[in-house]
Amino acid sequence: MPSKSEFSEHTPVSNQPEEEAAVKEEQQVSQPPSEGVKSEKTPVKDDDTEAVEDYKRTKAAAAELWTLPESIADLHDIGEASFGSPPPIAETVHGPDDRVQITNTSVYPWRVHASLLITAADNSMWIGTGWFIGPHTLMTAGHVVYIKNSGIPGRDGWVKKINVMPGRNGSTLPYGSVTSTKFHSVTGWTDSGNENYDYGAIVIPTELGNTVGWFGFGVYSDSDLLSATGNISGYPGDKPTGTQWYDSRTIASVNSQKVYYDIDTAGGQSGSAVYRIVNGQRHGIAIHAYGGATTNSGTRITTPVYNNMVAWKA
Amino acid sequence: MCKVISGIVRDLHGNPVAQARVYFTDGPVPWSDIATLTDSDGAFSLSAPSAGTYEIECVADGFMPTAARVTVTGDKEIHLEIWLRT
């Protein structure tokens, strides 16, 4: 159960405060998904993963952590003149890279995920991922909508704009690109920069979610999460521009505010849904935000996170 | 406050490479799983969350991925030059 101070860190903030919505008090367990307009449907498998051709899920237990090959220790130091050799792996990929490219991105559930092109306050450009939870609203990481403690003059604060491209597949934008300038996050991130509160939302001016659909989301117990298979699909920067990649693995561990997993990701996947499949329906359980040397992690959808998501859902 | 790592990405002819993705792939603490894009001058800047040794990867369409290892200490800004091969 979160403490009172933990709840205060979930105080919602927006770059348009006059439109800030109050947190709803209903304590519902979950919100339902929507598949949007009818299209070809992607089935799910018995192990609660997506049925993707040629995709084989890694079933290694969390304790069976993969060990870096010695060769990676030979990467050139930055003091050397050249960095010509490609690295053997990206290290937010833990063990063999299981990610598989999704090419039928114009169908549900893949079209729920959006490639994000972010313009920060200092006009620096970034890539991230978001996912629809309603007709107008996408969830993402807090650091996608609000940059904190960058150390770079003019960069910190709400980003200027985000181009939202649902179901992007390289240069193909099956649902176009929508520009958003309306964002939400919470004080635990915008004031404190605390990774436990690193989540936010993007509000778009069109009802594109009614077309592409959205994921449900819910608050789940530790035991529920630890027995669940986590799924992530998003837009990593280490793959060809704007292509969507999927992976799944059992949730490795949880604490009161975070979910940890060895689902492969790379820079650009911040904001992706970490979701589980329940009775054939997709439900978000966390918002992916961090890579790590041994595990990746996301902000857990706890009751206060859930309440904010319900309030932001439009 | 984060430690700043800035740099320029060039091809082997010395021309700046715009729209290259630059991001962390290893570090002493978890890092934001976001990637920055180089500007028209090939320039970028990332913020390392704490002192320590990080690995940065740079990927651009038409070039081979390139990695660099960098150690940040104190408040001194690190500047990199990353050269991409086709």
Side-chain angles (χ1 to χ4, degrees), chain A residues 177-201:
Chain A
S177 176
V178 181
T179 301
S180 171
T181 57
K182 183 176 178 181
F183 314 115
H184 298 287
S185 189
V186 292
T187 54
W189 177 251
T190 61
D191 290 352
S192 308
N194 186 332
E195 73 171 76
N196 291 327
Y197 305 92
D198 194 344
Y199 66 102

Side-chain angles (χ1 to χ4, degrees), chain A residues 27-255:
Chain A
Q27 299 294 313
Q28 297 177 42
V29 175
S30 68
Q31 289 278 310
S34 162
E35 296 190 0
V37 297
K38 282 190 177 177
S39 75
E40 176 193 341
K41 219 171 159 182
T42 301
V44 297
K45 292 164 68 175
D46 290 340
D47 61 356
D48 295 333
T49 62
E50 303 286 2
V52 179
E53 194 175 355
D54 296 332
Y55 175 71
K56 289 181 182 174
R57 176 187 161 209
T58 296
K59 294 186 176 178
E64 297 173 5
L65 288 176
W66 179 79
T67 305
L68 284 175
E70 289 183 5
S71 60
I72 199 166
D74 294 330
L75 285 169
H76 296 286
D77 187 88
I78 194 61
E80 298 180 26
S82 170
F83 310 102
S85 300
I89 57 163
E91 290 196 28
T92 42
V93 173
H94 301 122
D97 186 352
D98 298 320
R99 291 173 296 173
V100 61
Q101 185 179 358
I102 304 300
T103 53
N104 58 336
T105 55
S106 63
V107 304
Y108 190 91
W110 311 117
R111 64 191 185 187
V112 167
H113 310 288
S115 167
L116 305 180
L117 180 61
I118 304 142
T119 305
D122 65 344
N123 292 317
S124 60
M125 303 291 289
W126 303 78
I127 58 170
T129 302
W131 50 289
F132 277 88
I133 61 167
H136 294 274
T137 308
L138 298 95
M139 286 304 295
T140 191
H143 63 256
V144 165
V145 296
Y146 191 99
I147 296 178
K148 185 71 179 173
N149 294 334
S150 72
I152 297 167
R155 179 170 294 179
D156 283 10
W158 296 106
V159 301
K160 278 185 177 173
K161 64 177 181 178
I162 298 179
N163 295 100
V164 176
M165 295 165 275
R168 181 180 181 184
N169 184 24
S171 59
T172 303
L173 305 179
Y175 300 98
S177 176
V178 181
T179 301
S180 171
T181 57
K182 183 176 178 181
F183 314 115
H184 298 287
S185 189
V186 292
T187 54
W189 177 251
T190 61
D191 290 352
S192 308
N194 186 332
E195 73 171 76
N196 291 327
Y197 305 92
D198 194 344
Y199 66 102
I202 301 164
V203 181
I204 60 171
T206 68
E207 295 185 342
L208 196 50
N210 283 336
T211 301
V212 301
W214 57 80
F215 282 180
F217 53 90
V219 180
Y220 296 97
S221 67
D222 289 3
S223 58
D224 251 359
L225 293 177
L226 291 171
S227 64
T229 297
N231 300 270
I232 295 181
S233 204
Y235 289 90
D238 64 334
K239 300 295 187 183
T241 297
T243 53
Q244 189 180 133
W245 293 75
Y246 165 80
D247 191 23
S248 70
R249 283 187 206 178
T250 304
I251 297 300
S253 64
V254 299
N255 66 25

Side-chain angles (χ1 to χ4, degrees), chain B:
Chain B
M1 187 62 75
C2 292
K3 318 293 181 184
V4 177
I5 303 169
S6 62
I8 302 284
V9 178
R10 302 182 192 279
D11 65 18
L12 292 184
H13 301 291
N15 302 311
V17 177
Q19 303 289 303
R21 285 91 70 188
V22 187
Y23 47 89
F24 293 110
T25 56
D26 194 16
V29 295
W31 57 87
S32 301
D33 217 2
I34 194 167
T36 191
L37 300 177
T38 54
D39 65 17
S40 57
D41 296 323
F44 72 89
S45 53
L46 287 173
S47 305
S50 68
T53 299
Y54 292 83
E55 188 177 303
I56 290 172
E57 190 167 76
C58 178
V59 174
D61 293 352
F63 295 92
M64 295 176 71
T66 298
R69 183 164 287 182
V70 56
T71 298
V72 293
T73 55
D75 293 326
K76 188 180 175 185
E77 182 171 328
I78 302 288
H79 187 80
L80 310 178
E81 290 222 2
I82 297 176
W83 299 80
L84 298 182
R85 289 180 179 168
T86 52

